[in-house]
Amino acid sequence: MVTVATLLLLRHGRTTANADGGLAGRQPVELDETGRTQAAAAGERLRGLPLSTVVTSPLIRCRQTLELALPDASPVVEEGLIECGYGSWEGQPLKKLAKDPLWPVVQQHPSAVVFPEGEAMAAMAARAVAAVRSWDARVTAEHGPEALWLACSHGDVIKAIVADALGVHLDLFQRIVADPASVTVIRYTPLRPFLVRLNDTGGDLSGLVPPQRKRRRAPRRVDSDAAVGGGAGSAR
């Protein structure tokens, strides 16, 4: 397999909205105590990985997650990784939204959904995929094909990126799970992406560090006076 950069997608930790059963959307909700613990635990798993680049959604819950998980990092804000714009649905209880006629469409035919006063799910998927693919190419160019880099984002955004990596239609992305503070790993090769890990919440990540490449042996020096095409006993 061609050596390529490795993307780690980190979902933010649990928020107060997650705990209360609400749809946060782009509201400035913050991590709750459980979310802070999750972020710190993710940091323990990420410790020791030579991350060349860290990018993040601009929303505070992602930035808080990185502050706890990777306190020495200097994340770059990437607008393409922001949560889907749920429009007038934002801030409402999920129990209430589940009674909306649009809800079953969101679950079964998300590629057709445009949230009231908000964003189309297909547009969210397109800009998120474009963002990570662009960053992956940039990281590879700047840090080499063995680089590891991390992007912190949101559940639906990560699920859409995974669906693209698997080559499945957006209408199937609700079958994918991305829990709070989980790590999902993708490698983009010239021919196709590879999903290396999905929704990993406790596994050892050290195996993601690529082994050092073996140095090639220098070619054996050939005497410039050697006879071409024959040994010592060849006819002259």
Side-chain angles (χ1 to χ4, degrees):
M1 184 185 299
V2 177
T3 303
V4 293
T6 301
L7 163 62
L8 286 73
L9 289 164
L10 173 66
R11 186 184 173 188
H12 61 78
R14 195 179 83 164
T15 67
T16 53
N18 295 144
D20 294 339
L23 183 64
R26 297 180 180 179
Q27 295 185 330
V29 298
E30 301 189 21
L31 301 184
D32 66 2
E33 193 58 38
T34 296
R36 295 177 67 85
T37 300
Q38 291 171 335
E44 289 296 322
R45 299 173 61 215
L46 294 167
R47 181 179 299 173
L49 296 185
L51 297 174
S52 63
T53 305
V54 177
V55 300
T56 180
S57 157
L59 296 181
I60 190 169
R61 53 191 183 269
C62 287
R63 291 186 283 112
Q64 286 178 331
T65 297
L66 290 177
E67 287 171 3
L68 292 165
L70 299 169
D72 296 329
S74 299
V76 179
V77 171
E78 170 52 61
E79 293 289 341
L81 295 177
I82 197 170
E83 178 65 285
C84 185
Y86 298 117
S88 61
W89 276 31
E90 292 187 0
Q92 297 195 46
L94 293 174
K95 288 183 178 180
K96 176 183 177 182
L97 295 173
K99 300 175 183 178
D100 191 299
L102 187 60
W103 182 267
V105 185
V106 172
Q107 303 306 316
Q108 300 175 38
H109 191 24
S111 65
V113 170
V114 180
F115 290 99
E117 303 176 36
E119 185 179 24
M121 295 203 84
M124 173 274 290
R127 48 96 169 159
V129 169
V132 295
R133 285 179 176 267
S134 175
W135 271 102
D136 194 75
R138 176 176 172 181
V139 169
T140 299
E142 294 181 359
H143 301 282
E146 296 180 344
L148 301 176
W149 69 284
L150 182 142
C152 186
S153 190
H154 309 271
D156 279 351
V157 174
I158 292 172
K159 288 160 56 178
I161 293 169
V162 170
D164 170 76
L166 290 174
V168 303
H169 198 280
L170 184 62
D171 286 345
L172 301 179
F173 99 130
Q174 296 290 25
R175 302 183 184 190
I176 300 166
V177 177
D179 288 323
S182 64
V183 175
T184 293
V185 182
I186 298 173
R187 291 192 178 112
Y188 292 99
T189 76
L191 292 180
R192 65 179 67 87
F194 286 88
L195 179 63
V196 180
R197 296 196 187 190
L198 175 65
N199 195 37
D200 190 331
T201 57
D204 180 14
L205 300 175
S206 62
L208 297 175
V209 180
Q212 292 186 347
R213 304 179 79 175
K214 295 182 179 179
R215 294 182 178 179
R216 293 183 178 180
R217 292 183 179 179
R220 187 174 60 182
R221 183 178 177 182
V222 178
D223 190 335
S224 61
D225 292 330
V228 177
S234 59
R236 301 198 177 210

